[in-house]
Amino acid sequence: MLRLLCFCFALALFGCADAPAPAAPPVESAPVPIQTRADSVALQAIAASGGFDAWNALPALRFDFGVERGGQQQTAARHYWDKQQNRYRVEWPGGADSTYVALFTAWPDSGRAFVNGTPLDGEAGTEAMETARSRTINDTYWLLAPLKLFDDGVTRTFVPDSSDAATDVIRLSFDGVGLTPGDQYWLFIDRETGRLTKWAFVLEGNPTPRSFEWTAYQTLQSPEGRVLLSARKQAIGGPIAILTDNLVAPATVDSTLFTDPQPRL
């Protein structure tokens, strides 16, 4: 929930407001206490995404984050996550002929950033790692929200007035999570399939409500089953779509990706 640096895609969509990302990876694991109807709906959404066992067994995850407007696509960042050792690589464009690469283990309080393979030191390195942190928080939440409903600090509330015979709605609020805990989300869960079909949110830094349909679900194979993730989020009433695509679940991890500073994704 950090304010992203003003990439042109962020300007188009959020105007550099707080990006919707209330929690950072990794996704918490089961067991999960089921105490309320909201908890039951959330657990149904997690099961529809493949469940915790399949998710936790996934060796690695590769995806791109981008924006589509008027049929034109722009990739904002490319991600590779070694889930079992919690190593992360993120690449993003720095201009017509520059690419940033950030390599870090666990959460990027430490790590190293590069531009075109050259290490960044001092303030430039700090800013690049902050960008990597913002990118990671924002982009993974757009991809993994249905699997993060029981993360620490997340409060789930069933919303009967918005629910109907086909859809259950739960509201998410946050207690001490991230830098903008005033963010709120409404998740629309299909009762038959358990899939997240739409979300709406109001951000602490931008009170304008926005809503997106979650579509283009893709299946990734895990040693413990299948993981289903949405590759496209279409703005309702607007021309923009958020893309979390080029999804790949590598069966083995290429460890050189966490030492090579040259752009590779």
Side-chain angles (χ1 to χ4, degrees):
M1 297 199 314
L2 295 174
R3 285 181 170 79
L4 296 180
L5 299 182
C6 291
F7 300 104
C8 56
F9 84 93
L11 284 168
L13 180 57
F14 298 113
C16 278
D18 298 316
V27 174
E28 296 297 330
S29 60
V32 177
I34 304 303
Q35 300 176 339
T36 66
R37 183 170 180 179
D39 289 348
S40 297
V41 173
L43 192 61
Q44 184 186 17
I46 291 167
S49 297
F52 281 126
D53 288 345
W55 168 252
N56 289 334
L58 202 67
L61 182 63
R62 159 80 176 88
F63 75 99
D64 292 345
F65 181 92
V67 170
E68 179 183 294
R69 178 194 284 271
Q72 299 296 315
Q73 296 184 12
Q74 179 183 359
T75 299
R78 306 182 190 278
H79 298 264
Y80 192 105
W81 181 13
D82 174 1
K83 290 180 66 273
Q84 301 308 310
Q85 298 190 50
N86 217 13
R87 296 181 294 180
Y88 215 91
R89 178 187 183 100
V90 57
E91 300 182 7
W92 67 97
D97 58 354
S98 297
T99 300
Y100 288 89
V101 174
L103 310 174
F104 47 90
T105 301
W107 198 232
D109 295 325
S110 60
R112 198 73 192 269
F114 308 81
V115 61
N116 295 341
T118 300
L120 291 171
D121 296 314
E123 184 177 353
T126 300
E127 290 180 354
M129 289 306 299
E130 181 66 12
T131 298
R133 181 172 186 260
S134 297
R135 285 256 58 92
T136 304
I137 294 174
N138 180 78
D139 300 358
T140 55
Y141 197 66
W142 277 95
L143 178 64
L144 302 176
L147 286 161
K148 298 177 69 61
L149 299 176
F150 287 90
D151 280 8
D152 290 342
V154 178
T155 299
R156 299 158 299 280
T157 305
F158 183 72
V159 187
D161 292 345
S162 299
S163 301
D164 56 31
T167 305
D168 286 321
V169 180
I170 56 176
R171 180 174 64 88
L172 305 183
S173 56
F174 309 96
D175 181 12
V177 179
L179 299 181
T180 54
D183 292 356
Q184 296 187 70
Y185 295 78
W186 290 261
L187 274 59
F188 294 72
I189 310 298
D190 183 270
R191 284 190 176 182
E192 182 177 352
T193 66
R195 288 189 184 181
L196 173 59
T197 59
K198 181 177 75 172
W199 78 358
F201 52 82
V202 175
L203 304 179
E204 183 178 290
N206 188 338
T208 303
R210 294 180 175 88
S211 56
F212 290 78
E213 292 181 335
W214 284 52
T215 65
Y217 275 86
Q218 298 182 14
T219 300
L220 304 177
Q221 190 61 46
S222 161
E224 295 295 331
R226 298 181 303 167
V227 175
L228 277 73
L229 300 174
S230 165
R232 181 183 181 88
K233 288 79 180 177
Q234 178 66 51
I236 297 174
I240 291 174
I242 297 296
L243 307 178
T244 49
D245 58 1
N246 293 324
L247 285 160
V248 179
T252 58
V253 175
D254 181 358
S255 291
T256 65
L257 287 171
F258 304 101
T259 57
D260 186 356
Q262 297 291 338
R264 289 179 54 182
L265 298 182

